[in-house]
Amino acid sequence: MTKDMSSTDQRPYHHGDLHRAIVGAALDVLSESQSTEFSLRELARRAGVSHNAPYKHFADKRELLAAVSAVGFELLAKQMTGATKELDSPRERLAAIARAYVYGGVDNPALYRLMFGGYLTGQDNGRPAVERTAAENMKALLVDAISDGALGRLIPNTAANTRKIDGAILIFWSQMHGLTLLLVDRLVGPNDKMEALTESVLQGMLDGLANSIPAIPAGVWVGPRPT
């Protein structure tokens, strides 16, 4: 089981860094309450600063939550990197990435829904730039494992293979995202079978992708929408 994505020991900060202190307070409140229904005033109190201090760094709550989501992606990428650093097999690396994804979402559902739900999506269907950059960095871990042969063959990360790699990521993500939400919403269970259930779905998905990788249609994006 991975550490909770909101774990404060992974994001040290001091009061001289007000931006980080407020984001850290938001992560703590989100983890404790499992809700985004908190005020900037409450975060200021948590961080031990004046109630107007958050507005020096964030125009509004959406901008703050975008920063929180970006940190969530950074922490998840860190967990994925940590889970794969001792593994030579690309398939095992991709499997470890999947486990970190599912366990991270189950550990902190509110942060997961913020990162992968529609709360931060704007009217133009875009996501905040700070979050988009962090999400792209996490996606790169998937691309590297798939390119290195995680699905039984090398797929060089070239423009000619972009649609195939994105097709593999779409299937991988759909399976892991769906499983995470089913576990979070207790539509499958019990909790003490989560690891065995994840392993069953994961290996079935990897075996399927090893047999066939459907390329996504032209013009489709996977991950943060390009600007």
Side-chain angles (χ1 to χ4, degrees), residues 175-176 179 196-206:
Q175 293 279 343
M176 295 299 100
L179 177 59
L197 181 60
T198 299
E199 204 63 26
S200 176
V201 172
L202 171 60
Q203 296 305 327
M205 175 196 63
L206 292 177

Side-chain angles (χ1 to χ4, degrees), residues 90-145:
R91 176 168 169 138
E92 280 304 311
R93 278 165 41 208
L94 189 60
I97 286 171
R99 294 183 196 105
Y101 181 97
V102 174
Y103 299 163
V106 172
D107 283 344
N108 195 336
L111 179 57
Y112 180 84
R113 292 186 193 278
L114 178 65
M115 294 162 60
F116 295 102
Y119 186 91
L120 293 173
T121 303
Q123 292 184 347
D124 60 353
N125 292 323
R127 305 281 288 199
V130 64
E131 182 207 51
R132 192 167 58 245
T133 298
E136 286 288 1
N137 291 338
M138 193 188 77
K139 181 183 175 182
L141 296 174
L142 292 174
V143 173
D144 288 345

